[in-house]
Amino acid sequence: MSATSTTGEGTGAGGADRRLVPLYQELRRRGVSDFAEVATSFGFTPEEYERSRAELVTLGLIVPTSGTHAAHPAPQDAALRPDTDTVASVGPEIALLRAIDRERARLREHLAEADRAYSTLETLAATLLRPGSLAGAPIQVEAITDYRRIQQALEDIIDATQQNSCSMYPTGPARQDPERILRRDRRKLDQGMRIRAIYRSRDATLPESADVLNRRAELGVEVRVAPELPLTMVIADDQYALLPLRPDAPGEGAILASGPVLVRGFLSLYEHCWHTAAPFGDDVAPERGGDGLSGQQRNALRLLADGMKDERIARHLGVSLRTVSRLISEVMQELGAGSRFEAGVRAVRLGWLD
């Protein structure tokens, strides 16, 4: 077949694509040739010519070269034009082997980068972390009076949280950035963390505060309310606690306490406040029987009772599979059920699905 016999196969982007193989076959037949001359014989427009040349060079099927077929160190550079637009064709088998070699070299470099990063992390861990696990960390207490440092300490301990985050706010969410809180909640819930928060009952009656509580509950945060709360408190696992220097004057500064021996004492106080508080929203729907479930837990229970698999529940709620597993586990624990089927049966008997 002659070079010009394919010129009627279409024009534009689609036409150039259809003529790429015949073009390459002609270049293979010639060995070393002027690419512009061959492309013109196929009726390529200037745009099609540039696009086809770039694609063949990137695939390694042609190599920009001089008239004497001199080698060049960067044959995959589509912008390369050593002198004229002379190119040498390359067999597909050779092009494939070269592509494999390039990917192998790139993979080796990625692995080397990963090794370097891991070595850096090991060095940091050995330098900055004390021997032993966090569970055995010593007691430390730091008084902080700079507001910016308090905010940074709060971000730090929340980022360090692996399992449970507990907080209570006697002053309500007014001084907090709602969007920052919700972004943080979403990130941590997707990691499978349990998040609990206690607010004053009056916060549930103020439109702006209630909106924050509603949005947190919809994400999957367990929210409760109580008439009075003793002090502001944030606890990360049983490792860190952030609380005010003076509960009656929270603006004066904060205490950052670390070490499970100390933090567990604060956690006991928190658990007492949690169990005496009411689930947020109970005052709106008391007929639910005080099931104590968050909105997301209740939704997960309903979907589970409808026979949905975890994947569909996750898509329906817009959360991760890990979060669904956590929600169902919490519901089973609340119901005292040993299996998902038993949880469904008990929920029906208690009227939680009405």
Side-chain angles (χ1 to χ4, degrees):
M1 177 168 57
S2 68
T4 57
S5 64
T6 59
T7 57
E9 290 192 12
T11 59
D17 291 341
R18 288 193 296 271
R19 288 172 286 157
L20 195 61
V21 172
L23 173 65
Y24 170 66
Q25 290 172 339
E26 178 63 18
L27 293 170
R28 283 288 291 151
R29 187 185 68 79
R30 298 191 184 197
V32 177
S33 56
D34 186 298
F35 187 85
E37 175 187 327
V38 178
T40 300
S41 71
F42 275 77
F44 278 66
T45 65
E47 182 184 2
E48 292 170 343
Y49 150 73
E50 288 292 347
R51 185 168 57 249
S52 301
R53 181 185 184 279
E55 185 169 355
L56 289 173
V57 170
T58 302
L59 291 172
L61 294 172
I62 61 173
V63 178
T65 185
S66 66
T68 58
H69 200 177
H72 192 277
Q76 276 69 47
D77 184 356
L80 177 65
R81 285 175 170 80
D83 44 24
T84 63
D85 200 16
T86 304
V87 297
S89 63
V90 177
E93 300 86 355
I94 300 300
L96 177 61
L97 290 173
R98 287 176 176 171
I100 292 173
D101 285 342
R102 288 195 304 273
E103 290 306 313
R104 186 182 292 118
R106 190 175 292 118
L107 179 59
R108 281 198 296 265
E109 179 57 30
H110 287 328
L111 290 173
E113 288 178 5
D115 285 341
R116 288 193 292 270
Y118 184 77
S119 296
T120 300
L121 293 174
E122 277 192 322
T123 301
L124 287 172
T127 303
L128 301 178
L129 296 182
R130 292 176 173 83
S133 65
L134 286 176
I139 293 173
Q140 289 189 335
V141 177
E142 178 185 359
I144 311 172
T145 56
D146 185 285
Y147 179 75
R148 294 165 299 181
R149 173 73 183 95
I150 293 172
Q151 291 302 306
Q152 186 58 54
L154 178 61
E155 294 290 338
D156 290 346
I157 67 172
I158 290 177
D159 284 343
T161 309
Q162 300 296 315
Q163 296 177 328
N164 300 286
S165 171
C166 308
S167 58
M168 59 182 171
Y169 303 100
T171 57
R175 297 184 60 189
Q176 302 170 334
D177 179 353
E179 298 307 322
R180 171 184 281 186
I181 294 172
L182 293 167
R183 285 195 301 270
R184 192 165 57 205
D185 286 344
R186 190 175 294 108
R187 183 178 75 250
K188 286 300 183 179
L189 288 168
D190 284 345
Q191 294 172 3
M193 243 180 55
R194 183 188 186 191
I195 303 177
R196 294 184 288 169
I198 314 174
Y199 293 92
R200 294 175 304 172
S201 300
R202 62 173 296 187
D203 292 322
T205 65
L206 302 174
E208 190 171 330
S209 299
D211 179 64
V212 176
L213 272 60
N214 269 312
R215 295 173 69 185
R216 296 196 75 186
E218 287 171 358
L219 281 179
V221 176
E222 298 173 50
V223 180
R224 293 195 175 189
V225 293
E228 295 296 334
L229 294 173
L231 74 166
T232 300
M233 182 186 297
V234 178
I235 300 176
D237 296 329
D238 60 353
Q239 180 59 34
Y240 299 101
L242 189 67
L243 53 154
L245 276 170
R246 288 179 52 194
D248 59 337
E252 289 191 7
I255 292 174
L256 175 60
S258 63
V261 174
L262 178 59
V263 173
R264 283 171 189 156
F266 297 121
L267 188 57
S268 295
L269 171 61
Y270 184 88
E271 293 295 350
H272 172 75
C273 294
W274 178 259
H275 289 297
T276 57
F280 174 61
D282 271 9
D283 55 331
V284 178
E287 68 278 8
R288 291 293 181 189
D291 57 30
L293 300 181
S294 69
Q296 198 169 41
Q297 288 171 331
R298 194 174 293 110
N299 287 336
L301 176 60
R302 287 198 184 98
L303 297 173
L304 179 67
D306 288 341
M308 283 194 186
K309 299 295 184 183
D310 286 9
E311 292 80 0
R312 288 190 62 196
I313 296 175
R315 288 197 297 271
H316 190 88
L317 297 180
V319 299
S320 67
L321 277 172
R322 188 174 179 182
T323 298
V324 169
S325 178
R326 175 181 59 79
L327 289 170
I328 294 174
S329 176
E330 290 166 0
V331 169
M332 290 171 57
Q333 184 176 1
E334 194 75 25
L335 286 163
S339 68
R340 295 184 175 201
F341 177 78
E342 184 183 357
V345 172
R346 292 195 175 190
V348 170
R349 287 176 179 172
L350 291 170
W352 288 13
L353 297 175
D354 293 344

